[in-house]
Amino acid sequence: MNIKIQMVDLKSQHVRIKSEIDNAIHDVIESSVFIKGQEVASFENELANYLGVKHVIGCGNGTDAIQIALMALGLEKGDEVIVPAFTYPAAIEVILLLGLKPIMVDIDIQSYNLDVSKIESKITSRTKVIIPVHLFGQSAEMESIVHIAQKYNLFIIEDNAQSLGALYTFSNGDKKRTGTIGHIGTTSFFPSKNLGCMGDGGAIMTNDDELARKIRMIANHGQRELYVHEMIGVNSRLDSLQAAILRVKLKHLDSYENKRNEAAQYYDSYFANNEELMIPTRGAYSSHVFHQYTISLSKKVDRNKLRKYMLEKGIQTMIYYPTVACNQLAYSSENNNSLDFPMSELATQTVISLPIHTEMNETLLMEICTTLTEGLRAQGLS
Ligand SMILES: *Cc1c(COP(=O)(O)O)cnc(C)c1O
């Protein structure tokens, strides 16, 4: 099958910044400092400035970032961590890896983020952490989550792998970037993320000096200084080449996010009156950085057939995500019953994500929109 339009187009994005990237890579090779060093420190500072947070600590990937964040909190085996049931499950995986218990909460079907009205009933004396995952490019409802965390004395780790750069507005008008609202934020620089490198990378952010010190130590074998191992850590590093590449791309992040928003706007207006689908809802409290453009199809639509129709015309689509997390063999546990998550279940059955990236143009968008509409028509709809 010849796919004409893919979910992301990293190649065309690269062409635009090729000489900047080539220079950055060349400089790292010239310096021959491949681990730690100035590039990593500079990138950490620049990202901290961009986000308005005190500390950014680079690490190996976005999954490590969540693991290290959890390790820094001094939790005990069996402590409970609240997570959404509809998500990319990296957080759930590391919760289990550390001997903690994931307690899943249903989502709000409008935003695909945690339904904050369903959190409190899941809190027990063992609950220690809430991990909101800012899904698809938009913040979870953080003001309520912060209130709940304060009331029950819980930590918040924001999994911000999909929403780096999103801006959250509090009811008093204060604005903060996602990932800087809770005690710790984490992100991923996987190539297809909004700020992606050319391999694996991740980062952890916090405003807390003591947590930052611990996080740095854990990411580096628990070393306080060379050969002084104070605690059990891991080896999780952002390397200098990736940091140098990220320094270049960070300068373009705002323009990348504008491009994504322009594409989303096009889709929104094209599909606004289509009764067979629901366009993404934009929460009043968050900007949207459109890591994904995810629509929800009406029950009448045969989703598989639609995807097949589009693929035959050369257009890729994806299902993020096809399964409620507790129904995955690896994460099934007595605490989480899929009957508890009707909105997550509904989302897994109805969502479909369309191509969105920094290189979209009207020709591509028009082709995707008309093909989707034809696909519906082929099913006798709309
Ligand atoms: C991509 C992603 C991760 C994991 O990042 P990696 O760098 O691939 O480990 C974690 N959480 C969410 C929500 C993600 O989208």
Side-chain angles (χ1 to χ4, degrees), residues 61-63 66 88 90 133 159 161-162 188-190 193 200-201 321:
N61 57 68
T63 309
I66 308 169
Y88 183 73
V133 180
D159 179 353
Q162 297 191 5
S188 162
F189 305 121
F190 185 82
K193 298 284 154 94
D200 275 310
Y321 296 96

Side-chain angles (χ1 to χ4, degrees), residues 63-93:
T63 309
D64 278 4
I66 308 169
Q67 180 180 335
I68 294 163
L70 282 166
M71 288 171 77
L73 296 179
L75 305 174
E76 286 167 22
K77 296 243 180 288
D79 280 349
E80 296 176 0
V81 182
I82 287 178
V83 285
F86 178 75
T87 184
Y88 183 73
I92 296 169
E93 181 178 39

